[in-house]
């Protein structure tokens, strides 16, 4: 660092030497507008001597980083398509690189005699090869084999390429900034850093880009990961603390409505359900808003727990809102609640998007004057026109399908009502404390006594004739079947088109003597209701559906779930669909049709055959697909990791969580002077969340 600061970390990059207007625009398009943004544009990986494998040591089915010089390269042709191929050598061996996609683009940038760093999985076809490798073109001073440096490699997007920003250009840009940058102020006190065994932020931001060795780099990565986990956990701690600062309705007695429903049940509650109800009843009597997540595998009896909780709240003169992510699931909950409503003197209503105006108006008026005690609905519940007389409890099912703000919009319709979220998606521990760390957790880990294990089998498409014969035999016994179709990518069909085509084929051939129905998301609510009523009454024997069937279908007579193209689904989604059968006393089956063979698909489907443990399945799903795919981008919402990794950072997440919760316990509003930098960073990172925390 030069003597005397010349650059401030908050300065705009437009004032940096050599940037210019075109590069400023290209960097801004990637979110890099200030010096700070540039320093937080972390390398996607690093090269050093220890991470590079000599080509004579590479082995099939391993992931390697290798460095070599291009010996020969060019476009090749098969009868079906063109591809680009290059062969590199490091003096110890050869490695072939193959690109089937983007062959023309690759041919413009990969040239003979270039030095390449490549990364990917080793295959074997007439010699070792990597299909679609990650690669970087190295300059003479970038090669870790010839230097002692740890070389950072960055993501270079199309905007960068248009203005000729490559890895070397980025490194020079960042090096120039670091050489002229004033000391970067830390977020934490020296004592905090010492307690958490963290290096200073200034040191971490310099070393993530330029580290002298692997250990220095590791320390920098650890500090920057900690920061990301800490501020997300700080959000959780502040949300939890905020919920405890405002009074909520004190609900003491269970009431006669609870007793009436309990007496109507034609089964005994499991010990797990009783334990969860005890936890909920304890929360309701504390005078602060309950904020509890109820996890339970498919068919474990969460809805009955929700119904009994609602009965307790209504018995104390308050209203209950139940929000579900789909109309089918909302209808299912409404029917369950309504089944017990009359005997327990409960008034229930349904509020969904496509209701008739007069029907909707009637429900809205009844909510305002208190005549409706329990309303079940979809996103329609959070619309501005929906008001309550005295909302005391919000129940959200499959809560990860809603954004944090959406859930908050419903809660805001009451005076700090109690909140109960439910999910049939088992959540791995690290994900639970990351996404739901502000909530108390209850788990129903016991299935009702009458549930039989579901037999799961993976079959190839060639065996479908035998499967169809088995389905016909089950239908002849009076049982029912569901057949689910996903998106068929090769033909660019929508899931609706795939399901519709299959429906036409099956109804007119294999199952022409059975009653076949079609269910998909684009049907009008009345049409969905009609089809589901017919299926529930066994007037439809075989239901062909899109993944709209994933949640909300509860037909005890359905004993077969057939999933087409099962390899396209995540494990958790398959587990959810499997849970649509096995709800009665008859033996049930889940048949997974595998149409494409891959190593990962084989592992995933073999796990489905082996276990019905939702938590084991969820853990494996998270490892294979990552959190973004596990929840989907929309549900991931506010998690903004640049360097942290939920899958591998378990101990660091728990350390950051403890530190964040201890800080909030000591300073609930982040007002202490030593926490000013933490407060400012939190506000910058979570501006859209400030309405649901109390740091004013």
């Amino acid at each position: 660092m030069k003597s005397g600061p010349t650059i401030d970390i908050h300065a705009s990059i437009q004032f940096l030497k050599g940037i210019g207007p075109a590069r400023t625009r290209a960097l801004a398009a990637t979110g890099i507008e200030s010096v700070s943004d540039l320093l937080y544009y972390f390398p996607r990986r690093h090269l050093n001597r220890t991470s590079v494998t000599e080509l004579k040591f590479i082995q099939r089915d391993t992931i390697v980083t290798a460095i070599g010089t291009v010996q020969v390269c060019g476009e090749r042709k098969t009868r079906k398509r063109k591809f680009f191929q290059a062969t590199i050598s490091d003096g110890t061996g050869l490695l072939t690189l193959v690109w089937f996609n983007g062959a023309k683009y690759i041919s413009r940038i990969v040239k003979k005699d270039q030095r390449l760093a490549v990364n990917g999985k080793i295959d074997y076809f007439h010699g070792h090869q990597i299909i679609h490798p990650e690669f970087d073109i190295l300059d003479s001073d970038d090669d870790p084999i010839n230097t002692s440096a740890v070389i950072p490699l960055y993501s270079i997007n199309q905007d960068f390429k248009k203005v000729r920003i490559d890895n070397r250009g980025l490194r020079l840009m960042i090096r120039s900034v670091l050489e002229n940058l004033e000391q970067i102020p830390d977020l934490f006190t020296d004592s905090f850093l010492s307690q958490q065994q963290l290096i200073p932020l200034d040191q971490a931001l310099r070393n993530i880009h330029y580290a002298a060795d692997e250990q220095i780099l590791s320390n920098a990565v650890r500090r920057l990961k900690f920061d990301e986990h800490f501020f997300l956990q700080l959000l959780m701690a502040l949300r939890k603390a905020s919920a405890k600062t405002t009074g909520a309705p004190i609900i003491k007695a269970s009431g006669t409505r609870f007793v009436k429903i309990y007496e109507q049940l034609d089964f005994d509650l499991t010990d797990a359900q009783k334990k969860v109800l005890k936890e909920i009843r304890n929360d309701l009597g504390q005078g602060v808003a309950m904020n509890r997540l109820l996890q339970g595998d498919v068919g474990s009896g969460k809805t009955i727990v929700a119904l009994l909780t609602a009965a307790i709240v209504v018995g104390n003169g308050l209203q209950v809102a139940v929000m579900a992510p789909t109309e089918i699931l909302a209808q299912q909950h409404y029917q369950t609640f309504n089944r017990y409503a009359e005997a327990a003197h409960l008034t229930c209503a349904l509020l969904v998007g496509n209701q008739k105006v007069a029907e909707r108006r009637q429900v809205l008026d009844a909510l305002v004057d208190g005549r409706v005690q329990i309303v079940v609905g979809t996103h329609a519940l959070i619309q501005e026109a929906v008001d309550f007389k005295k909302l005391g409890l919000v129940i959200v099912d499959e809560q990860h399908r809603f954004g944090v703000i959406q859930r908050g919009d419903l809660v805001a319709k009451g005076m700090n009502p109690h909140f109960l979220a439910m999910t049939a998606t088992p959540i791995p521990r690290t994900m639970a404390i990351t996404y739901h760390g502000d909530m108390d957790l209850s788990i129903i880990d016991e299935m009702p006594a009458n549930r039989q294990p579901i037999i799961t089998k993976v079959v190839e498409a060639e065996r479908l004739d035998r499967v169809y014969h088995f389905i016909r035999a089950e239908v002849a016994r009076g049982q029912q079947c569901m057949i689910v179709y996903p998106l068929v990518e090769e033909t660019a069909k929508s899931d609706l088109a795939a399901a519709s085509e299959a429906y036409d084929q099956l109804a007119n051939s294999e199952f022409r003597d059975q009653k076949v129905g079609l269910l998909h998301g684009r049907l009008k609510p009345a049409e969905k209701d009609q089809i589901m009523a017919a299926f529930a009454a066994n007037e439809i024997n075989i239901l062909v559906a899109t993944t709209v069937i994933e949640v909300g279908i509860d037909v005890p007579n359905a004993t077969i779930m057939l999933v087409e193209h099962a390899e396209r689904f995540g494990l958790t989604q398959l587990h959810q669909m499997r849970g649509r059968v096995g709800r009665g006393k008859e033996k049930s089956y889940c048949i997974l049709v595998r149409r494409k063979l891959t190593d990962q698909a084989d592992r995933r489907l073999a796990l489905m055959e082996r276990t019905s443990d939702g938590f084991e399945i969820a853990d494996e799903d998270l490892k294979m697909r990552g959190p973004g795919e596990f929840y989907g981008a929309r549900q991931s919402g506010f998690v903004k990791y640049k360097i942290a990794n939920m899958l591998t950072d378990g101990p660091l997440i728990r350390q950051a969580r403890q530190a964040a919760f201890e800080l909030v316990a000591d300073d609930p509003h982040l007002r202490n002077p030593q926490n000013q930098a933490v407060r400012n960073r939190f506000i910058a990172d979570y501006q859209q969340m400030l309405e649901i925390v109390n740091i004013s």
Side-chain angles (χ1 to χ4, degrees):
M1 189 166 61
K2 289 184 177 179
S3 58
T6 58
I7 298 177
D8 179 79
I9 193 168
H10 302 296
S12 170
I13 57 167
Q14 66 179 315
F15 300 117
L16 298 181
K17 184 179 178 181
I19 297 292
R23 288 188 168 185
T24 297
R25 288 192 296 270
L27 290 165
T30 311
I32 302 173
E33 297 181 342
S34 68
V35 171
S36 176
D37 295 332
L38 182 62
L39 295 183
Y40 276 91
Y41 191 72
F42 299 136
R44 58 186 170 84
R45 61 191 177 99
H46 293 79
L47 286 178
N48 62 32
R49 289 176 178 174
T50 61
S51 67
V52 176
T53 302
E54 289 187 337
L55 293 180
K56 67 180 179 181
F57 293 123
I58 59 176
Q59 295 181 347
R60 185 176 181 175
D61 294 329
T62 60
I63 296 175
V64 303
T65 295
I67 292 176
T69 302
V70 178
Q71 305 297 302
V72 61
C73 62
E75 285 193 62
R76 305 283 188 270
K77 283 185 181 180
T78 67
R79 283 184 296 176
K80 293 185 178 180
R81 57 179 170 176
K82 292 181 180 180
F83 63 95
F84 186 83
Q85 181 175 297
T87 300
I88 63 171
S89 171
D90 66 352
T92 72
L94 298 173
L95 177 64
T96 299
L97 313 173
V98 181
W99 290 269
F100 291 108
N101 300 327
K104 282 191 176 180
Y105 168 73
I106 299 295
S107 68
R108 289 198 297 268
I109 56 177
V110 173
K111 304 294 182 183
K112 188 176 183 299
D113 297 329
Q114 280 178 336
R115 192 103 166 120
L116 300 183
V118 300
N119 178 267
K121 184 178 179 180
I122 300 294
D123 291 319
Y124 195 91
F125 182 73
H126 301 311
H128 289 115
Q129 66 176 13
I130 299 178
I131 307 295
H132 293 293
E134 283 191 63
F135 73 98
D136 295 278
I137 300 169
L138 301 181
D139 296 309
S140 58
D141 61 346
D142 288 344
D143 193 336
I145 303 302
N146 301 325
T147 72
S148 60
V150 178
I151 307 298
L153 297 175
Y154 300 88
S155 293
I156 304 298
N157 59 36
Q158 290 299 322
D159 290 317
F160 287 2
K161 290 173 184 175
K162 287 176 184 176
V163 293
R164 299 183 180 180
I165 297 178
D166 55 12
N167 260 288
R168 185 171 182 273
L170 262 179
R171 284 194 289 270
L172 290 173
M173 200 182 299
I174 292 170
R175 185 189 293 276
S176 175
V177 165
L178 291 175
E179 286 176 346
N180 294 280
L181 185 66
E182 63 184 11
Q183 182 83 17
I184 301 169
D186 215 295
L187 302 164
F188 305 118
T189 63
D190 291 343
S191 61
F192 182 94
L193 294 178
S194 176
Q195 182 183 1
Q196 302 298 330
Q197 297 182 311
L198 300 171
I199 65 171
L201 182 60
D202 180 86
Q203 198 175 325
L205 284 173
R206 294 176 188 278
N207 291 341
I208 192 68
H209 298 287
Y210 288 97
D213 59 45
E214 192 75 12
Q215 185 57 54
I216 289 174
L217 175 62
S218 177
N219 291 338
V221 169
R222 184 176 182 277
R223 164 62 201 267
L224 296 168
K225 282 187 172 190
F226 177 91
D227 284 8
E228 290 189 342
H229 290 307
F230 174 85
F231 282 97
L232 180 55
Q233 291 303 318
L234 186 62
L235 171 65
M236 298 300 165
L238 288 167
R239 286 180 63 192
K240 193 165 188 175
S242 296
K244 304 298 184 187
T245 59
T246 307
I250 298 176
I251 297 171
K252 294 181 178 178
S254 295
T256 57
R257 289 177 171 85
F258 174 90
V259 174
K260 288 283 187 183
I261 292 177
Y262 191 83
E263 289 175 345
Q264 282 188 79
L265 300 178
D266 56 0
F267 54 86
D268 293 328
L269 294 180
T270 63
D271 289 340
Q273 286 172 310
K274 292 175 182 176
K275 176 176 70 72
V276 167
L277 274 168
K278 185 177 180 180
E279 292 169 346
I280 290 171
R281 288 167 70 177
N282 181 62
D283 283 355
L284 295 176
Q286 296 301 310
V288 293
M290 173 176 70
N291 189 28
R292 187 166 288 275
L293 173 63
L294 173 57
Q295 285 194 71
D297 220 334
V298 177
S300 62
K302 298 180 300 299
T303 304
I304 291 299
V305 170
L307 173 61
L308 290 168
T309 302
I312 295 171
V313 172
V314 171
N316 281 257
L318 301 168
Q319 292 168 295
V320 177
V322 183
M323 186 163 69
T326 66
E327 288 193 12
I328 286 181
L329 187 52
Q331 288 273 7
Q332 193 77 53
H333 284 324
Y334 175 66
Q335 291 164 11
T336 301
F337 276 60
N338 232 11
R339 191 184 312 159
Y340 297 95
E342 187 176 348
H345 306 295
L346 295 171
T347 54
C348 298
L350 180 69
L351 193 65
V352 292
N354 292 317
Q355 282 175 307
K356 294 179 180 177
V357 174
E359 182 183 352
R360 176 181 170 79
R361 186 71 263 163
Q362 192 175 6
V363 173
L364 294 179
D365 291 344
L367 284 172
V368 171
D369 63 24
R371 283 178 290 122
V372 166
Q373 296 161 319
I374 300 174
V375 62
V376 182
T378 56
H379 294 78
L381 290 174
I382 64 176
Q383 292 175 358
E384 192 174 336
V386 181
D387 288 312
F388 294 81
K389 182 179 182 180
K390 204 171 184 181
L391 180 62
L393 171 67
V394 170
I395 300 174
V396 175
D397 199 9
E398 294 301 334
Q399 78 135 7
H400 59 274
R401 293 174 178 240
F402 296 99
V404 176
I405 300 299
Q406 289 176 312
R407 300 195 299 268
D409 287 344
L410 183 52
V411 169
K413 292 182 180 292
M415 294 300 292
N416 204 31
H418 298 283
F419 182 80
L420 177 66
M422 302 192 297
T423 180
T425 303
I427 304 171
R429 173 166 169 72
T430 54
M431 182 171 277
I433 65 175
T434 301
Y435 283 80
H436 311 290
D438 58 323
M439 307 183 80
D440 297 309
L441 182 63
S442 289
I443 299 176
I444 301 179
D445 53 5
E446 180 182 1
M447 297 298 282
N450 64 339
R451 290 296 171 92
Q452 289 198 41
I454 300 167
I455 298 169
T456 303
K457 291 292 181 186
V458 178
V459 302
E460 309 302 326
E462 294 76 25
R463 294 183 59 196
L464 272 175
D465 285 344
R466 294 176 61 185
V467 172
Y468 292 152
H469 176 76
F470 174 65
I471 291 173
R472 288 192 293 269
E474 282 288 290
V475 170
R477 289 197 319 111
Q479 306 307 126
Q480 292 167 271
C481 171
M482 289 174 269
I483 302 177
V484 181
Y485 279 80
L487 175 69
V488 182
E489 292 174 354
E490 287 90 349
T491 56
K493 291 177 185 172
S494 68
D495 55 351
L496 171 57
S500 299
E501 185 178 293
Y503 165 75
D504 291 336
Q505 178 195 331
L506 295 173
N508 293 303
S509 55
E510 285 85 354
F511 302 127
R512 59 183 174 274
D513 297 326
Q514 282 78 37
K515 296 166 187 172
V516 184
L518 175 63
L519 180 70
H520 56 79
R522 296 185 194 173
L523 290 172
K524 294 178 180 178
E527 293 173 317
K528 290 180 189 174
D529 293 345
Q530 185 178 0
I531 291 169
M532 284 311 305
F535 189 58
N538 205 355
E539 294 167 5
I540 291 175
N541 310 128
I542 299 168
L543 185 63
V544 178
T546 63
T547 51
V548 70
I549 209 167
E550 181 185 348
V551 293
I553 307 297
D554 188 1
V555 179
N557 198 55
T559 57
I560 300 176
M561 167 63 70
L562 175 66
V563 182
E564 271 284 2
H565 296 274
E567 71 277 358
R568 297 191 185 282
F569 293 97
L571 282 168
T572 305
Q573 195 175 24
L574 287 174
H575 184 60
Q576 288 266 334
M577 288 188 291
R578 175 167 60 184
R580 298 304 108 208
V581 295
R583 292 175 168 260
K585 296 180 180 179
E586 295 288 332
K587 187 178 292 186
S588 294
Y589 305 86
C590 178
I591 301 168
L592 306 174
V593 183
R594 177 177 53 196
R595 290 186 177 269
K596 187 175 181 181
L597 295 173
T598 66
D599 291 342
Q600 189 179 69
D602 288 348
R603 289 201 313 273
R604 287 164 51 216
L605 298 183
L607 181 67
M608 289 296 297
E609 277 190 317
R610 180 174 61 79
T611 183
S612 59
D613 184 328
F615 284 95
E616 182 180 354
I617 288 168
D619 273 324
E620 194 62 28
D621 203 17
L622 183 62
K623 290 174 189 172
M624 288 184 179
R625 297 197 299 156
E629 285 296 317
F630 185 94
Y631 266 162
R634 184 168 60 87
Q635 293 88 15
S636 303
F638 53 85
V639 178
K640 304 173 183 176
Y641 288 153
K642 289 184 177 180
I643 195 170
N645 187 322
M646 190 190 303
L647 303 184
T648 58
D649 295 349
L652 194 61
I653 292 173
R654 289 187 281 277
Q655 178 184 338
R657 176 176 174 78
Q658 182 176 346
F661 273 73
E662 286 176 355
L663 186 147
V664 171
D666 181 59
D667 185 11
H669 306 289
L670 303 184
R671 290 174 181 161
N672 292 346
Q674 67 266 31
N675 294 328
Q676 189 62 47
V678 169
R679 176 192 174 94
N680 293 341
R681 169 72 177 269
F682 175 80
I683 290 172
D685 281 1
Y686 292 103
Q687 184 68 44
Q688 76 275 29
M689 300 289 172
L690 297 183
E691 64 189 71
I692 55 176
V693 299
N694 184 9
I695 59 170
S696 58

